[in-house]
Every structure is written in C-alpha cells, then in structure tokens.
Amino acid sequence: MSITVQNVSKYYGSQKALNNISFRVDTGEVVGFLGPNGAGKTTTMKIITTYLAASEGDVTVSGLPVEENRKAVRAKIGYLPENNPLYTDMQVIDYLRFAASVNGVKKEETDSRIKEMVVLCGLDSEKHKYISELSKGYRQRVGLAQAMIHDPEILILDEPTTGLDPNQIVEIRNLIRKMGEKKTVLLSTHILSEVEATCDRILIINKGEIVADGTAADLRKMSSAGDILHLKVGGADDPEKVLSVLSAQQNFLTEKTGESGFEFIINPDDIREAKKLIFSMCAENGWYIDSLTAKETKLEDIFRELTN
Amino acid sequence: MEFVLTIAKKEIRSFFDSLIAYILLTAFLGISGFFTWVYGSDIFLINQATLLPFFNVALWTIFFFTPALTMKMFAEEKRTGTLEFLLTKPGEDIQVIAGKFLAVTGLTAISLLLTIPYYITVSTLGPLDHGATISGYIGLLLLSGALTGIGLLASSLTNNQIVAYLAAIFTGLFFMIITGVISQNTTGSLSVIFNFLNLQFHYDAVSRGVIDSRNIIFFVSLTVVSLYLTSLNLSSRFIKS
C-alpha cells in the first residue's frame, strides 16, 4: 500500500517537467502535494497512476514496479484526475455503475458499493440527475465516489477541492480524512490551509524538484522565518527603556509594533528560553506581562520562501 | 472481455441516450429504403428480385455515417479529459479500443437487422439469390469494420470531432475512389496494387455473392491495421522523452 518514487525525471520534448525527484508515501499516510502551478504535481500523479511513463527512474506501488504491472497497479489505485473529468451525459447512478464495472467490482457487490458511495459522498438526493445538471460541488463528490468505488488501497486526488465553496471544502476535507484512516492518500492542492487540515505530511515541489518533505511542524522548523512571539508589557513608563532592555538580550531580536509603544515582536532562536527570559526581565524591572502570544509562521510564508 | 463489453455497452447506451442512434437509424433506413424501393435504379426499375440496389446505397450511407459515430470516440474524451479516467482503469488500451469498435459495429449491425423486412419482402416478390444476399450483408459488416477502424484512428489523432470526421471521410475516400482512379490510370504491378487497395472493388465482389479470401483479407487487414495504429497512437503517451 505504499508508493515509492525514485530518481524520477520526465521530459516533454526538450522541456524538463520533473528533475530527479524521490519520495515515498507509506501505508495509511495522507500526504499533501504542494507546489505552484506547473511545478510538476499533475505529471507526478499521472506517472504514478500509469497514465504517463517516467523518462527516467522507478515508481513502485505496493512494491510493484508500475511500468511492468500497469493493470495490477491500476486496480489498486483510485484516481481523481485533474479537473475531475466526468461523462456529463450520464446519470450519477449509471456513471457510478460504469465506474464500478471498469474498476472490476464484482457484479453482486456493485449495488452495495454504489449505495455505500452515495451515502458516504452525500449524493442521495442527486443520484438520478444527469451529471451535466449538477453543481460543481456535487460533481466533485461524484468524482470522489468514482475514485473510491472499488475500495482501492491507494487514493490519488489531483486538486480535489478546486472550485468548491468553503462549506464544501470542509465536507470534502472531512471525507478525505475519513478515507485516510484506512487508505494511503496522495492529494495535490495549492490551498495551504487545506494541507494543514488534512495531511500528515507535506511535499513541496517546485520547478520539477522536491524542495521540502515533512510534517507542517518540520517545515516550520526548516523555515528561516521561525516562530515569533508577540509581547505586550504593562506597568512600565517608558517604552524606550523596555525596548533597550529587550534589545540587550543576545538570543533574540526585538522590534516595536502597535500604537501603544509597549508592544513588541520578538524573533527568538529558542522560543521556550525566550519566554523565561522575558518573564524574569519583567519581574526584575517591576513590569508585568500584559499578553504574550506565540505566532506560528504561516505555511504561506514557508511556501513562498521555498518556491520563489 | 468483461472490460471490453462494459465499454461497448456504455457507448451503445450513450448513442441511444443522445438520440444519435435514432437519428442515424432513421436516416439510414430512410435513405436506403428510398433508393431501394422508390427512386433511381430501384428494384422495380431493374425488375429483378435482388437486394443489389440496397447494397449499393447502403455502402454510401454507411460510408458517411460511420465516421459520425466514431468521431467523438477519442476526440471528445481527450478534450474533456475522460480518456485519462478510462486509461487509468485496470484494462489495456486495446480493450478500450475494442469496446468502442464493438459499439460502432454493433450499432451498424442493429441497423442492418432492421433491413431484414426488405429481405423478406424481396424474397416473396421473386426468386432471390439467398447466398448472394447473405454475402452482401457480410460485405456491409466487413465494410463497417474497416470504416470504424479508420474512424477510430482519425478520432484518436485529434481532440476536435470535426477534424476527426473529415479525416476519416478523406481517408475513406482514398480507399473508395482515389485508389480506383489511380489503378485505372496506371499499368502493371502499380495498377494491381491500387486495385487491391480499392474498397469498392472488394465490396462489389462480396455484395454480388463472390466471397474470395482476398476480399476478406483486405477488409480484415484494413481493420486490424487501423486499430493497431490507434493503439500505437494511444501508447505514444508512454514515450520516454
């Protein structure tokens, strides 16, 4: 149930779409695949799902090299391709039956699988409509239902939440979370809050290369920006004095912020150490801490830092 | 086989759901019926109990209608992206092609079944050559297979249905007319080769009741080669660089 991608490169003519990328997705993991448009996310997914072949390198799914075992690999994967292509001239239920059949679901199990998917994806009220009549959110659910109909071990979802409204995004996210408990999931997106909410691990790809691989916390650590503290001091008369005391510290940088003059942004090397120092400093000078909040670096900043 | 049949069934359903099937069946029966019974060198004019007038007009209706059925097969799926859906399912490319092939030739077979009343009617009018008639139907099926192959190839080469239709028609015309013209205007082995490549030459032989292995070989190899080229074209996505 794992996916390994090893030293994979892909050329489209003279253009290099993937440059020697390697990563693995282990059983039961939900991995988010991030990157700007044109970074190679879709190409990587197309290679894993056997739609395209890598120019160089090896891809294995559940230990099977994909190129020699296309049929077996396809049977293990549930795939939602980019832009969620659907046969819009079919009714939802017929489409799901067709998807079940081409995915090799046994005849006697087809009806129960379809029923399960309809319930899971909340398609009950829409199941007899033509897909062309559905809103984007419902189409997306049909796409997910199609991908999961044969109960695959691995789900590969190319931008599962594009074009959805915030409520729908939350629903789809919960659905993916639920699926992720039992399956290996690789999903691509460029919405950062989404990866944080759904994924165990994040891969960032830029210009065909993997630039980061780790949990959201790992990435924050990796980032030079680091976490910051927001401090508001009370009981002091002169803001300049507070600033000079704070600035005297070797292991963090202090900046003034806000209107009151007693608010500071502190960028420490070690956040816990800094909190201790701030406390004792205030105690020594007879000030008190009005507020002290740690602000995490936004994933957006890390993303921008890594992909610019 | 299951996979192939699933695709064939889906395509046939979509012909009927989208009214394409009804329109083409009506037009096919209308046009072929009109020229068989009412107008031109129809049965009453030649005053023989034969279905030759039908076979002569059915050749051209099938010639123009088959590309209309095949044009969307790959072109539309490429345009909307559903081809990626289909080709990442546990089957081979060739099975997808076979399913679509079966759907189109299946619809043609249905339309030919609907002309059985012609056969019954003519056979009550006079002594009908049953062997020749059956051979004629076989000829139409073989022709439909070859044209479907060409149509699928054309459709797989583009993502524009109109381009697919025109490419299939022009390729068809090459085998239908141009090879004949070249053959007539050349001599020696060149003439023989182009005569062998002429669809109409083989079809005329079969529809008159003369089934030669050469005719069968021609139709079958035209079908197989075009389907093989279609699969080759689909597998070009696996090219390494």
Side-chain angles (χ1 to χ4, degrees):
Chain A
M1 279 174 72
S2 60
I3 304 167
T4 60
V5 172
Q6 220 161 38
N7 305 326
V8 166
S9 298
K10 173 76 189 170
Y11 308 91
Y12 292 117
S14 60
Q15 199 194 349
K16 205 166 192 177
L18 292 178
N19 186 9
N20 200 21
I21 65 165
S22 302
F23 63 89
R24 56 176 290 139
V25 181
D26 289 313
T27 308
E29 258 188 322
V30 180
V31 172
F33 208 16
L34 275 173
N37 289 325
K41 301 185 295 276
T42 298
T43 301
T44 311
M45 291 189 152
K46 283 182 174 174
I47 291 172
I48 297 171
T49 55
T50 78
Y51 184 66
L52 295 177
S55 305
E56 286 158 22
D58 302 304
V59 178
T60 63
V61 168
S62 296
L64 297 172
V66 292
E67 271 180 60
E68 291 81 37
N69 305 282
R70 286 203 181 108
K71 222 168 148 173
V73 167
R74 287 171 185 172
K76 288 178 194 295
I77 291 179
Y79 179 35
L80 175 70
E82 195 183 19
N83 303 326
N84 185 22
L86 299 168
Y87 294 104
T88 50
D89 58 343
M90 289 176 101
Q91 287 180 14
V92 172
I93 196 113
D94 291 335
Y95 176 69
L96 291 180
R97 182 157 289 129
F98 173 65
S101 180
V102 286
N103 273 311
V105 175
K106 289 196 194 95
K107 274 218 173 68
E108 58 271 22
E109 288 170 17
T110 303
D111 283 333
S112 67
R113 284 303 301 165
I114 292 175
K115 214 175 268 173
E116 204 181 321
M117 284 304 117
V118 164
V119 173
L120 186 67
C121 300
L123 286 165
D124 201 42
S125 55
E126 316 286 320
K127 63 180 180 240
H128 292 299
K129 281 192 185 166
Y130 282 96
I131 293 176
S132 57
E133 297 168 353
L134 296 183
S135 68
K136 197 153 186 182
Y138 276 108
R139 286 188 196 201
Q140 207 71 22
R141 295 181 200 200
V142 174
L144 280 170
Q146 162 276 119
M148 298 185 294
I149 193 120
H150 53 306
D151 197 18
E153 298 168 10
I154 293 167
L155 273 178
I156 298 202
L157 311 172
D158 201 346
E159 304 200 352
T161 56
T162 25
L164 301 186
D165 68 39
N167 295 336
Q168 294 167 328
I169 290 181
V170 171
E171 282 172 35
I172 298 284
R173 208 185 267 166
N174 290 341
L175 193 57
I176 293 171
R177 262 270 159 236
K178 212 179 335 173
M179 298 318 300
E181 289 165 10
K182 287 173 283 178
K183 298 181 195 307
T184 306
V185 183
L186 178 64
L187 67 92
S188 82
T189 178
H190 39 232
I191 303 167
L192 293 140
S193 55
E194 180 166 320
V195 235
E196 254 203 305
T198 25
C199 302
D200 303 322
R201 197 152 60 85
I202 299 169
L203 286 168
I204 299 182
I205 185 169
N206 187 39
K207 293 181 184 141
E209 295 184 42
I210 301 275
V211 290
D213 178 355
T215 60
D218 290 341
L219 294 192
R220 288 214 174 80
K221 250 180 247 161
M222 226 180 85
S223 157
S224 63
D227 287 356
I228 52 171
L229 288 171
H230 188 269
L231 170 71
K232 193 173 178 190
V233 175
D237 313 318
D238 183 9
E240 292 306 319
K241 186 171 181 226
V242 183
L243 183 62
S244 69
V245 172
L246 282 167
S247 302
Q249 290 298 330
Q250 295 291 313
N251 50 2
F252 55 75
L253 292 164
T254 309
E255 268 174 74
K256 250 165 103 171
T257 185
E259 305 234 316
S260 67
F262 294 103
E263 287 171 58
F264 305 92
I265 298 243
I266 293 166
N267 196 344
D269 300 332
D270 181 342
I271 204 154
R272 197 177 294 169
E273 204 53 39
K275 281 178 185 166
K276 276 190 207 161
L277 277 169
I278 291 166
F279 177 78
S280 50
M281 214 160 49
C282 290
E284 277 166 26
N285 291 288
W287 307 326
Y288 62 92
I289 297 172
D290 202 346
S291 71
L292 179 63
T293 39
K295 283 205 173 131
E296 290 185 319
T297 324
K298 281 200 200 126
L299 220 45
E300 269 85 357
D301 299 329
I302 301 168
F303 180 78
R304 220 171 299 133
E305 194 181 316
L306 288 168
T307 58
N308 251 336
Chain B
M1 201 57 202
E2 182 88 36
F3 191 83
V4 176
L5 289 180
T6 303
I7 295 195
K9 264 190 269 176
K10 185 230 151 216
E11 293 296 348
I12 289 199
R13 263 194 84 155
S14 112
F15 285 148
F16 281 95
D17 282 350
S18 63
L19 299 183
I20 292 177
Y22 298 106
I23 292 168
L24 287 187
L25 286 178
T26 312
F28 176 76
L29 293 176
I31 293 170
S32 63
F34 183 69
F35 286 102
T36 307
W37 302 101
V38 183
Y39 185 80
S41 53
D42 61 87
I43 284 175
F44 302 110
L45 186 86
I46 56 177
N47 210 16
Q48 281 173 13
T50 169
L51 273 176
L52 257 182
F54 166 69
F55 291 134
N56 287 335
V57 60
L59 164 73
W60 287 102
T61 36
I62 288 183
F63 178 81
F64 284 106
F65 286 174
T66 307
L69 294 172
T70 55
M71 67 181 187
K72 73 164 193 137
M73 286 295 179
F74 289 104
E76 180 69 5
E77 299 226 25
K78 274 184 171 179
R79 197 181 59 78
T80 59
T82 46
L83 192 64
E84 191 174 341
F85 162 84
L86 217 48
L87 296 183
T88 49
K89 295 292 160 274
E92 310 284 344
D93 295 1
I94 194 77
Q95 290 177 299
V96 173
I97 298 169
K100 290 176 180 282
F101 177 81
L102 273 185
V104 178
T105 47
L107 189 64
T108 311
I110 292 171
S111 68
L112 292 180
L113 276 179
L114 293 175
T115 65
I116 294 235
Y118 298 0
Y119 175 71
I120 297 168
T121 313
V122 175
S123 69
T124 59
L125 290 176
L128 179 66
D129 183 345
H130 296 285
T133 309
I134 290 167
S135 150
Y137 275 109
I138 293 174
L140 281 176
L141 281 177
L142 287 171
L143 171 83
S144 149
L147 292 175
T148 306
I150 292 171
L152 289 178
L153 174 61
S155 183
S156 77
L157 289 168
T158 170
N159 51 17
N160 182 318
Q161 296 192 46
I162 311 282
V163 173
Y165 182 81
L166 293 176
I169 288 284
F170 287 128
T171 315
L173 283 177
F174 172 79
F175 285 106
M176 210 70 147
I177 291 170
I178 296 173
T179 46
V181 173
I182 296 176
S183 161
Q184 275 165 19
N185 291 296
T186 49
T187 51
S189 56
L190 205 61
S191 171
V192 174
I193 290 170
F194 277 99
N195 192 43
F196 182 76
L197 287 177
N198 188 238
L199 239 169
Q200 214 157 4
F201 160 74
H202 295 281
Y203 177 77
D204 284 346
V206 176
S207 66
R208 287 196 165 77
V210 195
I211 301 191
D212 188 9
S213 59
R214 288 202 316 155
N215 307 134
I216 309 273
I217 287 171
F218 170 76
F219 281 115
V220 172
S221 44
L222 190 56
T223 311
V224 170
V225 166
S226 48
L227 292 181
Y228 174 71
L229 289 177
T230 311
S231 100
L232 209 59
N233 181 38
L234 289 186
S235 66
S236 68
R237 69 187 197 277
F238 295 131
I239 288 173
K240 291 274 173 183
S241 58

